[in-house]
Amino acid sequence: MTTSADEAENIDATAAPQAEAVAEFDQQHSTLQRVQHFLHQIPAAVPLIVLVLSIIVFGLLLGSKFFSPFALTLILQQVAIVGITAAAQSLVILTAGIDLSVGAMMVFSSVLMGQFTFRYGIPAEIAIGLGLMAGTVMGVINGVLVAFMRLPPFIVTLGTWQIYLAANYLYSANETIRAQEIEEHAAALQFFGLSFRIGGAVFTYGVVLMLVLVFGLAYALRQTAWGRHVYAVGDDKDAAELSGVQTKRVLVSVYALSGLICALAGWVLIGRIGSVSPTSGQLANIEAITAVVIGGISLFGGRGSILGTLCGALIVGVFSLGLRMAGTDPQWTYLLIGMLIIVAVAIDQWIRKVSV
Amino acid sequence: MTTSADEAENIDATAAPQAEAVAEFDQQHSTLQRVQHFLHQIPAAVPLIVLVLSIIVFGLLLGSKFFSPFALTLILQQVAIVGITAAAQSLVILTAGIDLSVGAMMVFSSVLMGQFTFRYGIPAEIAIGLGLMAGTVMGVINGVLVAFMRLPPFIVTLGTWQIYLAANYLYSANETIRAQEIEEHAAALQFFGLSFRIGGAVFTYGVVLMLVLVFGLAYALRQTAWGRHVYAVGDDKDAAELSGVQTKRVLVSVYALSGLICALAGWVLIGRIGSVSPTSGQLANIEAITAVVIGGISLFGGRGSILGTLCGALIVGVFSLGLRMAGTDPQWTYLLIGMLIIVAVAIDQWIRKVSV
Amino acid sequence: AAQDIGACLITKTDTNPFFVKMKEGATAKAEELGINLKSYAGKIDGDHESQVAAIETCIADGAKGILLTASDTSSIVSSVQQARDAGILVIALDTPLNPIDAADATFATDNFLAGELIGKWAAAKLGDDAADAKIAMLDLGVSQPTVGVLRDQGFLQGFGIELGDPNKWGDEDDPRIVGNDVTAGNEEGGRRAMENLLAKDPMINVVYTINEPAAAGAYEALKAIGREEDVIIVSVDGGCPGVQNVADGVIGATSQQYPLDMAALGIEAIAQYAADGTLPQPTEGKDFFDTGVALVTGEPVDGVDSITVEEGMDLCWG
Amino acid sequence: MDPILQGKKLVKHYGRVVALDHCDFELYPGEVLAIIGDNGAGKSTLVKALSGAVTPDDGEVWLDGKRMNFHSPLDAREYGIETVYQQLAMSPALSIADNMFMGRELRKKGLMGSLLRQLDHKEMERFAREKLNDLGLMTIQNIRQPVETLSGGQRQGVAVARAAAFGSKVIILDEPTAALGVKESRKVLELIQDVKARGIPIVLISHNMPHVFEVADRIHIHRLGKRLCVVKPNECTMSDAVALMTGALDPDHAKAPGSSPGPAEEYLHSL
Amino acid sequence: MDPILQGKKLVKHYGRVVALDHCDFELYPGEVLAIIGDNGAGKSTLVKALSGAVTPDDGEVWLDGKRMNFHSPLDAREYGIETVYQQLAMSPALSIADNMFMGRELRKKGLMGSLLRQLDHKEMERFAREKLNDLGLMTIQNIRQPVETLSGGQRQGVAVARAAAFGSKVIILDEPTAALGVKESRKVLELIQDVKARGIPIVLISHNMPHVFEVADRIHIHRLGKRLCVVKPNECTMSDAVALMTGALDPDHAKAPGSSPGPAEEYLHSL
Ligand SMILES: Nc1ncnc2c1ncn2[C@@H]1O[C@H](COP(=O)(O)OP(=O)(O)OP(=O)(O)O)[C@@H](O)[C@H]1O
Ligand SMILES: Nc1ncnc2c1ncn2[C@@H]1O[C@H](COP(=O)(O)OP(=O)(O)OP(=O)(O)O)[C@@H](O)[C@H]1O
Ligand SMILES: [Mg+2]
Ligand SMILES: [Mg+2]
């Protein structure tokens, strides 16, 4: 048996030159297929195109009122909070999870920042730090339940959503801290509400934070080992584990980061609404998930780009503002956004299906 | 080569008697393990035990007030609508889907039944039939998008939820139809609100419908080919397709049935609240999913029993009423139900893990 | 010209009949005056973010005036300030802002007074039995929005119960209160809350409800156990179904508000302001323009002013 | 003799990959046809196209002289074509019996069956147990145990048993012995002979040359998405077959075995 | 000589199934140890216990004379144990290069790498391409293509290449050739010889007896969750080995090959 290696060599030697292209015979591609293939290569391309199209359409419909630097940057401002929570949501969804508690973590963190400052007289800067820590802790609780107790993320965050929200109401005693008071005693809380102008365009620091966060995360996901591990965990957790990824650590880090980002969103929220109100952000979950979904990240994990999420949030922002300016009944807006979700994902699916 | 069969026979013949128990060497089981194994065999056992325990605990805490036929049947009445929508949700979740539109389908169907009767003067019985058909159609739309367009159920129903709900508000023009009017002109709409007594216990026909539905579905899932196919599709859709299940047809049938059941829930809703109100049922989604999850049906599909869902809905009912009777702040109820979700699923997971 | 005058109506939701009616009133008046009105609303009660976005849209849109029923009365203040800085007249409808002078004017019902009226009526109706009444309090939501708190506390004050913190419901320790429960202001919530409290004490004989849909739900719960005849239900709103329910004896008395008036007056004020810059003035002795509240009941009692059901029907909305 | 199952110029693209490139295929009544070929050559795709599991982009499938249009495996099954796919088609949480009867469940006799559509679990379990015993899968003790509790080999056994039990016209086996031990593999080969003896033709995909040369009547050699040639085991050596499928040998040179050593020894040397 | 990798009385239960039943195991420096056994005998579980993928309920794992406590495959990898698992551990949506370096990514030199932790994609791709070429997997043209676009055999090749490239102390291969064609299987066997020549011991699980007898120095026969015996390929025939692992033969009778025919022919007859 062991003497047969020589003969085998011969066969292999002759086989090699011809056996090169088993799976890749060339073929002519139609233009359509080439477009699909291109779109498939860049996961954020579809939402980006939809975004540009919708800006153009509303621009044509509404004219200069919409197509002004003021209105366009207004969209950015309106989208900032959704964009930030959607960034957190994207991370979690990339690991094949879902975080229903983003809104609750956001509002509870903002309430903690406010109450720490005003109830206990802690300096605002420290209170903010504590609030960010609290958000992280809430995220870690989610992460530990998911990673170590191996509970499904949907269920864990369905539970903690209710828990954090109830805790938020109980702790805050439903008290709102008024904007005027904050302005006077703890302006740092409103930092992200400050704005600067470039021409007619108005940017708040909240918008800047959103952009920095999204591009920073995009870099981390693409260019660092941690990012590759996030994708691997979402793709196939068991396989990632076997090929040497510390899946538990990755999961906890993702949920913790999600909590931290939501706490940041809470801080931005104070800046945006001026006051600290325990009843804000009730729709943040749905809005964040909607942005992620329209942005083309797969709910099954491991596929998609956080830049897509940014586009998704902006698309919703453009539609909302555009339809509002057009004077559409709000219910029609909801109806159209419902359709937008389905259509966006259907296009995405079509691209994936045809060009593998 | 072909002459070797005889020799092979010999080996096999000698091998057979000893090779019987490759995978099943016996071992001693501890009592705990045996309990786990038993619980694993009957998927509804855990929620049933939790249910019985929670009734006992609240009974001990609150005494005869809680442990009366009146209070206990009150729980059934309060749970009827959630139980029915949760049954619809269970079907969908068993196919590894999720139906976020159950609440919207329910309330829209009830509005259609009412408006058909009062706006167009259609006899109530026919209006009810049309409403049930409308619910089915909404379900079919979900099903077609999921089965034929191959879109993820979460996204499809996230979209249709908003669409159906917006349609509901637009169509109804937010008008409520008063209970007294319905009673006078279209008593059939309130049929499921009628009640009968057995001793101190009060049952509505809505409760009866819930029980009939749940047990009927349990029979269908366990004893008919359709039921086995529902499980197979949820377990592994591709495998089911390859082994000869018409997965698309099964999926559409499940979503259609879900729509029909939600429309029935809409009818029951009219009976319960007396009137037709387009703003009802806003929490029906979360409540239905909560019941399913506590009832031990896996969100990944293919595992669990609809009887568990019934127990899940009852557990939430027992907790809500019990805590309220104990005078707890409503906020604490949410917090405790949040914890209940996590604990129930953790126990379930533990049983699955240890006893495979 | 009047066509250039843009106005915005921003309500808490566009699903609650109260706001639907408000929108109808505003739309009718705007058409009459030739004002270009756009309406916005939150998606659910408490959806503050959508209201902020709506105000920003109005600013971008170059509107002359905004009519606002705020979901979050103090958080909205900074957005309102932005609008006022942009030269827009902001009128708070129904719900005063916190502080009240954050808006240029407030056209509202006195919700505390509305509660007080039904409280007094219920106490008078019971007479001596008021001393050992068993009261169920069906409130709006766990987050305790101000409107709900004002009505609740007004009712208790009117009934003669000592308040705890008047900015909060549920902290009273009067034994006559069987309990508080939340209804989300709809029928389903009303019925469930009533059932819960009945399970706690089946002998409840006074039911305060946040609004008429909740009252209708509570009635169904009472009917189911056959106690609908011997319980007094009081409510606030004065919508047509609600007043009809007073006529049918479902609700004993309700405090009627006038959303149509609020909206129509608001639009007129905007037209006025656009024409010559005059600001609307508050009612004498109050810091807001009181659009009035009236107790509607079929069984008037001494010491509480009320209007009849017929009068109520003429004035009702929704 | 006309082929019983035939593929004509079948084409299937997966995005940029051409898995089938105008591939022809013929299966004659009563024969065992083996398909061999390199990894990724398109063997599994070919049998999927024949059994309705994928719809070819182009080309035709003929069964018994009639043009077929299979849209799902169920369509093909209704014509008596049973397939064991390479990735086993099993529902892990369902029992062995449920899996064997998936899509063709037996209903109870009488009213319970016709009206209430109740399944005849007993009968299905009896039948399943019998078929598994035929295959020598005695190690499975509980026919109600979920498939996920079986080892990979046991699962493959169940899949083969299902195909053998229900196939009436053609049975297709895609690498049925890949996960099996020596003894179980032998049982499967025996089963193939049994089925053939019942007159049912079989398509067998395998990388195991001794198995192929033992049971096949003809060998379809697949390369680069199409049929390269068809050889007979007694006219071709194993090493020639391997050389053909890897492209080391041209089909024209393979037709003269003549002086070469017997197939078995030759193969062993080529290993 | 002391064993380099040793398992002592390893026990692993899966619910009611005992996958490992006080199983012993020894791997000596520089040798190729094959593990053979029936389906479900517990072979995969054994190597998973040795490589940290499952934590045994009882028993000890020793490496180089030191007691180890592996909690994950990463732990084992840090000690130089590389494993190709039976169910391949790949992330389908990630590229071949990403998969090869999963968990041990290379960072860029300089500030970008240390501060911003940027990966050196170029270097990783170069390395991956090189290793695949060594294995003769020339058919993979684009090292950036997602693993899901590869055929089963190509995937297995990538997994083996990864293990061979990074294993410094022990390499474990669980059925590395199951999905491979003849040519690729041959390459893997050659690779095993190469690795052995580099002095790294190998554990090989396979159902393919000729492969096992070709490359193994010793054969661990696994049965019913434990080691039945260890034989040497030149002291035992293939059919005896098969008889042992199926329980047809007692270990005590197997030790006298004497008059039996050569291993190859014997095996062919047993097929
Ligand atoms: N569902 C799919 N999506 C994308 N590509 C696919 C799919 N199925 C097969 N392919 C590709 O088509 C080609 C042929 O695959 P196929 O599975 O038919 O090969 P095979 O001959 O069965 O190989 P093996 O011997 O490894 O099983 C391969 O390049 C494979 O990557
Ligand atoms: N994750 C698991 N959960 C439950 N049972 C398992 C699991 N993994 C293995 N088993 C069981 O443990 C036993 C041993 O399995 P193992 O995979 O080690 O066998 P094997 O010898 O590798 O078989 P094969 O040759 O088929 O790969 C089998 O009965 C199997 O069903
Ligand atoms: Mg194949
Ligand atoms: Mg194995």
Side-chain angles (χ1 to χ4, degrees), chain E:
Chain E
M1 200 163 47
D2 287 333
I4 181 158
L5 182 64
Q6 194 176 12
K8 292 187 184 170
K9 303 247 166 286
L10 293 167
V11 177
K12 178 73 194 175
H13 296 194
Y14 285 114
R16 307 173 78 191
V17 174
V18 187
L20 287 181
D21 185 13
H22 299 89
C23 176
D24 288 319
F25 171 89
E26 283 116 26
L27 176 71
Y28 289 95
E31 74 168 346
V32 175
L33 176 71
I35 304 181
I36 62 174
D38 245 334
N39 291 122
K43 305 180 295 297
S44 299
T45 309
L46 172 60
V47 299
K48 280 186 182 167
L50 292 172
S51 70
V54 308
T55 314
D57 300 337
D58 199 6
E60 303 173 358
V61 175
W62 292 66
L63 180 72
D64 252 352
K66 279 191 288 287
R67 171 99 193 258
M68 292 287 133
N69 253 319
F70 298 142
H71 291 296
S72 79
L74 198 65
D75 291 350
R77 243 166 59 169
E78 270 160 19
Y79 285 94
I81 302 179
E82 278 296 322
T83 312
V84 174
Y85 294 98
Q86 193 169 6
Q87 77 283 31
L88 298 172
M90 295 273 167
S91 302
L94 295 184
S95 75
I96 297 170
D98 278 341
N99 266 291
M100 282 194 68
F101 282 89
M102 187 58 63
R104 59 184 138 224
E105 290 81 359
L106 303 181
R107 277 198 231 135
K108 277 225 175 111
K109 305 247 166 347
L111 221 65
M112 285 308 282
S114 59
L115 200 68
L116 292 177
R117 314 192 134 251
Q118 192 175 28
L119 295 179
D120 192 345
H121 288 293
K122 265 223 190 90
E123 173 58 19
M124 292 198 287
E125 280 162 17
R126 193 198 57 69
F127 184 89
R129 197 189 317 275
E130 188 186 305
K131 290 300 161 192
L132 289 179
N133 284 353
D134 286 358
L135 253 185
L137 280 167
M138 310 284 294
T139 57
I140 296 170
Q141 292 180 339
N142 181 1
I143 208 80
R144 277 190 218 150
Q145 88 189 80
V147 164
E148 64 192 339
T149 63
L150 300 180
S151 83
Q154 291 172 325
R155 282 183 215 196
Q156 206 156 42
V158 173
V160 172
R162 171 168 67 179
F166 293 104
S168 63
K169 206 147 225 166
V170 174
I171 293 179
I172 301 175
L173 306 170
D174 192 350
E175 308 209 12
T177 57
L180 290 185
V182 174
K183 186 165 59 79
E184 288 79 7
S185 295
R186 179 107 312 271
K187 283 279 184 190
V188 170
L189 294 184
E190 276 169 29
L191 190 88
I192 291 177
Q193 309 280 22
D194 281 2
V195 171
K196 184 185 160 186
R198 270 161 40 203
I200 300 173
I202 292 171
V203 179
L204 169 71
I205 299 184
S206 178
H207 284 298
N208 188 317
M209 289 301 136
H211 287 174
V212 165
F213 275 74
E214 180 184 342
V215 297
D217 297 314
R218 297 189 309 133
I219 301 173
H220 166 136
I221 300 181
H222 206 78
R223 189 168 152 66
L224 299 178
K226 55 183 137 197
R227 180 171 67 182
L228 185 71
C229 59
V230 177
V231 300
K232 299 218 162 161
N234 49 1
E235 289 173 3
C236 175
T237 66
M238 286 200 204
S239 53
D240 280 350
V242 171
L244 282 166
M245 74 191 224
T246 55
L249 197 63
D250 235 27
D252 305 327
H253 294 92
K255 290 290 154 83
S259 62
S260 72
E265 285 90 285
E266 172 77 354
Y267 174 65
L268 282 171
H269 286 267
S270 82
L271 268 177

Side-chain angles (χ1 to χ4, degrees), chain D residues 43-45 86 174-175 205:
Chain D
K43 306 178 295 297
S44 297
T45 310
Q86 194 170 4
D174 192 351
E175 308 210 12
I205 298 184

